[in-house]
Amino acid sequence: MLDVRRLEALLAVARTGSVSRAAEELHYGQPTVSHHLRRLEAETGAVLLQRVGRGVRLTAEGRRLADRAEELLGLLQRAETELADATTLRHGRVRLAAFPSATATLVPRLLAALADEAPGLVLELTEAEPPEGIAMLRAGEADLALAFSYPDREEDPRLAVTELLDDPLFLVTDARRAPDGPLRDLGAYAGARWVTGCERCRSELLVLCEAAGFEPDVVFATDDYVAVQAMVAAGLGVSLLPGLALQAHRHAGVVVTPVPDAHRRIHVLGYGQPPLPPAVARVVAALVAVAREPAGSAGAGQSSSAAGEATAGQPSG
C-alpha cells in the first residue's frame, strides 16, 4: 500500500514544480522529500519525475498518480473533519460551492431555512462555476457543489447527484427585437447578433442554434448576467439566459421569452456514495425543500413581449 506521506510529497512537487519548494511547503527537509519520492518510485516501479534545469516536472505516470493522490488526500481530510465534528459534538460544518445565479437565488433561501432548522450548523460558501465546484469536491475542498448540466450530457459516475429542479432557458431581447408571440425555435434570430457567455458556457446556445439551422454571430462574451442584460437593453444584440439568472437580476429594458423544450438541470453534487455525514445530509434536504418552493415566492418572472412588462411565470426554483 502506498504511503500517504510519499503521496503528499509527490503532490507538493506537482504544485510547486520544485523539490526544495515542496519541502518548504511541507515543513520537511529537502533530503526527506527526496527520500519519499525515491521510495515512491521504487514502490510503484514507475519513473514519476524528470529533472528540468533546476526544477523537476512530472511524467505522465507521475501526473496520473498525483491526480489520484489529490482525491485520496482530499477524502482523508474530509474523514478527519467529519470525525472531529462527531467526537467534539459540534453541529457540523458544510462547505458548499455554488454557481453565481444559484448563489443569488437558492442559497439565500437555503441559509434562511438552515437558520430556523439548524442554527448551529456552519455553512461555508464559495462561488464557483460547475467545473471548479466539481474540482473542489474531488480535492476535498468542498462537501457539496450546486451545479447545472444540460440534457444528454454524461455525468461523472463518482458523483452522488441529487436533482433539484429544471431551470428553463429564455430568449432575452430588447422591445424592438421581441417576438410577436410564442417562440417556436431560435431560427427567427439567425441574423441577429448575440451576447453570450464564454466559450465554455455557451454550449447549449450552440446546440439550440444548430437545431434551428444556423450558427450564432457572437459579438460580445461575458459570464456576468447583469452585463449581458445591460448590453441587450442597449440594443447590442440578443441573448439566452436561464430562469435563475433572471430571478437574480432583471433589467427593466429587456423582454424575456421562453425557448420551447430548453432547460438546464440544477442539482447538488457530493463526491462518493452515501451515507452522507449528518450535517451534509441536512443541507441536501434543505436544498431539496427550497427547490420545491413555488416559483412565485422567489420572484420568478416571465415577461410578455412588451418592453418592461412582466407577469408571474414559470422559471423553477
Side-chain angles (χ1 to χ4, degrees):
M1 184 176 293
L2 298 179
D3 189 293
V4 170
R5 293 170 300 173
R6 291 166 190 162
L7 293 176
E8 286 178 333
L10 179 67
L11 195 54
V13 170
R15 282 195 298 263
T16 64
S18 163
V19 173
S20 60
R21 287 197 292 271
E24 292 175 2
E25 180 179 291
L26 296 172
H27 304 291
Y28 289 166
Q30 185 171 332
T32 300
V33 174
S34 297
H35 169 74
H36 283 321
L37 295 171
R38 287 194 301 269
R39 292 299 303 155
L40 189 57
E41 288 187 323
E43 290 171 353
T44 59
V47 176
L48 304 176
L49 297 170
Q50 291 178 326
R51 187 165 296 280
V52 179
R54 296 184 178 180
V56 293
R57 68 180 178 188
L58 273 63
T59 63
E61 292 78 10
R63 171 53 58 189
R64 190 175 299 113
L65 182 57
D67 288 343
R68 290 300 187 190
E70 184 176 30
E71 293 184 27
L72 291 170
L73 294 172
L75 288 172
L76 285 173
Q77 179 185 3
R78 184 178 303 164
E80 291 177 353
T81 300
E82 292 168 1
L83 185 59
D85 285 343
T87 56
T88 58
L89 301 180
R90 295 199 295 257
H91 288 284
R93 176 177 68 102
V94 178
R95 299 163 299 170
L96 174 67
F99 59 95
S101 57
T103 302
T105 53
L106 295 176
V107 171
R109 292 150 58 194
L110 169 66
L111 291 171
L114 291 174
D116 291 335
E117 300 167 9
L121 191 149
V122 176
L123 187 70
E124 297 181 0
L125 175 66
T126 301
E127 190 170 270
E129 294 288 356
E132 289 75 24
I134 292 171
M136 291 175 68
L137 281 179
R138 294 179 68 241
E141 296 170 357
D143 302 298
L144 295 170
L146 264 173
F148 61 82
S149 63
Y150 290 96
D152 303 322
R153 308 293 166 85
E154 292 185 3
E155 303 287 359
D156 186 336
R158 294 168 294 182
L159 299 177
V161 182
T162 301
E163 298 292 349
L164 296 179
L165 55 94
D166 284 343
D167 190 20
L169 302 182
F170 293 84
L171 174 71
V172 184
T173 68
D174 59 8
R176 185 166 53 88
R177 294 180 175 86
D180 293 332
L183 188 69
R184 183 172 61 85
D185 60 33
L186 298 180
Y189 292 85
R193 305 201 312 168
W194 286 82
V195 182
T196 75
C198 67
E199 291 187 8
R200 186 183 67 189
C201 301
R202 70 180 69 153
S203 59
E204 189 63 13
L205 170 66
L206 298 178
V207 168
L208 292 171
C209 290
E210 182 180 9
F214 73 98
E215 180 178 346
D217 177 18
V218 177
V219 291
F220 297 106
T222 173
D223 292 333
D224 185 337
Y225 49 80
V226 176
V228 167
Q229 293 182 59
M231 291 181 183
V232 170
L236 301 176
V238 300
S239 189
L240 190 74
L241 285 177
L244 286 184
L246 293 165
Q247 288 180 37
H249 171 78
R250 179 67 171 275
H251 194 293
V254 303
V255 177
V256 300
T257 305
V259 180
D261 302 319
H263 66 275
R264 60 180 184 174
R265 296 193 303 261
I266 309 298
H267 32 236
V268 58
L269 306 175
Y271 193 76
Q273 297 305 311
L276 297 172
V280 177
R282 179 168 288 186
V283 172
V284 172
L287 275 168
V288 170
V290 161
R292 290 175 178 170
E293 291 176 0
S297 67
Q302 174 181 322
S303 81
S304 70
S305 58
E309 293 182 6
T311 58
Q314 301 303 316
S316 304

